[in-house]
Amino acid sequence: MTENIAFIKGRFSPAEAADVLLSLINDKIKFHTVKSLNLRHEGPDADLSSEDRIKELKEAKKIIEQLVLSAHKNGYELEINSTIDIKLFEKSYS
């Protein structure tokens, strides 16, 4: 089963876009930071994918900040469209 949900759709002022996008990015960074800290307690061989994802999200945050600042300086709005694709999978047991 797959669901496609329109998550963000429309035109936003730079301030609105910053609020929406940076809130999402910051929440994801926080999620992966907590996950990474929990995995460190499991030992040195724990999965490091959360740390890699944090780096990616921080780079995306810089790009978003630059786009928002540019829009603000130049009097632009930002059109943002984001879809979430959700798929259900049977749980695998390791």
Side-chain angles (χ1 to χ4, degrees), residues 62-80:
K62 288 178 189 176
I63 293 168
I64 291 168
E65 288 169 342
Q66 291 170 355
L67 285 169
V68 168
L69 286 173
S70 177
H72 177 72
K73 287 180 185 177
N74 295 300
Y76 293 146
E77 290 184 321
L78 295 97
E79 183 175 324
I80 304 169

Side-chain angles (χ1 to χ4, degrees), residues 1-9 81-89:
M1 181 175 147
T2 301
E3 288 291 332
N4 300 309
I5 299 167
F7 189 60
I8 304 171
K9 185 177 181 180
N81 296 296
S82 174
T83 303
I84 297 177
D85 300 325
I86 303 171
K87 296 179 183 180
L88 300 178
F89 290 93

Side-chain angles (χ1 to χ4, degrees), residues 24-46:
L24 290 169
I25 291 279
N26 287 331
D27 282 348
K28 286 296 292 177
I29 290 170
K30 185 171 124 182
F31 169 82
H32 284 287
T33 299
V34 170
K35 185 176 177 182
S36 178
L37 290 172
N38 288 336
L39 288 174
R40 285 185 189 162
H41 293 291
E42 294 179 14
D45 297 329

